[in-house]
Amino acid sequence: MGQKTGDELERWEISQAREAGRTKYNFDDLTGIIGRLRAPDGCPWDREQTHESLKPCMTEEAAELLAAIRIYDRTGNAENLCEELGDILLQVMMHAAIAEENGVFSIDDVVNGVAQKMVYRHPHVFGEVSADTSEQVLANWEELKKKEKEGKEWVKAPLHDIPEELPAMARAQKVVKKIRKLYDPSFGAEEAGLAKLEELAHRLRSEELARTQRQEEEERTPQERIAGILGEMSLVMAGIAAANGLSLEQIVRDKTDDLVEKYEPEE
């Protein structure tokens, strides 16, 4: 199922030519299509792509998939959701094709790897471990995940392993949850968090009042001081959200949606 050889690509093209008007393709066909696009006489744009150049495409496609899920929830129409899942799959196939060309791994290795992971991390399904609740499943998952990562050279430390590429609020919330779990169970506790927000709000008001009274330039500009306060407030809010099992990222998305709907209501 990996990338097709030159002979296989030629046979694949002949096979498709014999099926004029074909409207159904399968996974092997998609593998052949990607291989053909990446071939020396394939598509110039597809041939130029690298793992790095495709990063913006994956970001965009992931956002479009989230939008498609929202549309599906609202309308019940799955056509766009199916299309966007295909676009995500296309990104996976492109990265796997590039990796195979470099002799690193193939799409078969990708499929095998995720299948092995699912079996290994679900011993309550494929083994003898008991897990009757979602909480037990997640606890087992985290423990097995930690064992998997032991000795991996790219693994640094729990907080550093949280991807920097996550949206800022989502990353902050994951960092806060890890701190609570591994280092300081009281970090971001709700009552202390609310008190901290009040303190920061007071500092922010004081900063706004004082910024027009400063005659000399200080070590940090007023904008830098305000940014620091707002950053602290964001981390405190991330902690409160984490303590209540909420996603701060989703909360902000939902409230933004509400604001858009308020000023531009859908018919």
Side-chain angles (χ1 to χ4, degrees):
M1 192 170 26
Q3 186 178 353
K4 296 182 183 297
T5 64
D7 288 344
E8 288 173 325
L9 286 171
E10 184 177 353
R11 288 197 298 273
W12 185 84
E13 287 185 286
I14 293 171
S15 169
Q16 303 317 302
R18 288 173 179 164
E19 298 183 48
R22 183 177 180 187
T23 58
K24 277 286 188 181
Y25 297 90
N26 58 32
F27 190 83
D28 282 341
D29 292 327
L30 178 58
T31 304
I33 291 168
I34 300 301
R36 183 69 187 85
L37 292 172
R38 294 279 302 177
D41 59 342
C43 171
W45 186 90
D46 288 288
R47 288 174 53 218
E48 290 174 357
Q49 299 314 303
T50 65
H51 293 305
E52 190 69 25
S53 72
L54 287 171
K55 284 167 65 174
C57 298
M58 179 60 88
T59 300
E60 181 178 332
E61 297 299 352
E64 290 180 0
L65 174 59
L66 295 178
I69 294 171
R70 172 173 50 79
I71 291 168
Y72 175 62
D73 286 343
R74 192 180 73 236
T75 67
N77 188 324
E79 181 180 355
N80 184 232
L81 177 57
C82 182
E83 178 185 349
E84 297 302 338
L85 284 169
D87 288 344
I88 291 288
L89 177 58
L90 172 60
Q91 294 299 309
V92 174
M93 299 294 285
M94 284 287 287
H95 283 287
I98 294 168
E100 185 165 9
E101 290 163 13
N102 294 329
V104 183
F105 58 79
S106 70
I107 190 64
D108 288 339
D109 297 316
V110 174
V111 172
N112 178 60
V114 73
Q116 287 196 11
K117 179 189 290 186
M118 289 300 97
V119 171
Y120 176 72
R121 293 194 188 176
H122 290 81
H124 54 289
V125 176
F126 300 106
E128 304 301 323
V129 174
S130 295
D132 299 323
T133 67
S134 295
E135 289 75 17
Q136 291 173 327
V137 170
L138 291 176
N140 289 342
W141 178 283
E142 287 298 321
E143 188 60 32
L144 292 168
K145 181 179 178 181
K146 186 165 66 174
K147 289 180 180 178
E148 280 180 330
K149 290 181 177 291
E150 288 176 358
K152 300 289 177 68
E153 62 182 30
W154 63 84
V155 176
K156 298 179 181 178
L159 299 182
H160 285 88
D161 286 340
I162 297 171
E164 296 177 11
E165 292 78 8
L166 282 172
M169 287 186 179
R171 179 170 176 247
Q173 193 159 347
K174 280 183 172 289
V175 167
V176 168
K177 287 177 71 174
K178 284 285 186 183
I179 290 173
R180 288 171 60 85
K181 181 179 179 181
L182 300 175
Y183 303 114
D184 182 0
S186 66
F187 185 89
E190 188 168 353
E191 194 148 330
L194 291 172
K196 184 67 174 178
L197 279 177
E198 290 178 1
E199 175 199 329
L200 290 169
H202 174 72
R203 284 170 53 191
L204 186 60
R205 284 192 295 269
S206 298
E207 181 64 39
E208 286 288 354
L209 288 172
R211 66 187 301 178
T212 57
Q213 301 172 10
R214 293 190 178 89
Q215 302 297 319
E216 299 179 1
E217 184 172 341
E218 299 184 15
E219 186 176 342
R220 290 195 303 166
T221 66
Q223 289 82 2
E224 288 172 336
R225 283 190 293 273
I226 290 173
I229 295 170
L230 292 175
E232 288 187 59
M233 293 177 81
S234 297
L235 289 175
V236 172
M237 289 188 292
I240 294 173
N244 286 277
L246 299 169
S247 165
L248 186 58
E249 190 80 20
Q250 193 59 52
I251 290 169
V252 175
R253 286 181 185 275
D254 290 343
K255 296 307 291 183
T256 303
D257 287 344
D258 291 345
L259 194 60
V260 171
E261 180 65 21
K262 176 181 177 180
Y263 288 96
E264 296 180 359
E266 291 187 340
E267 297 298 331

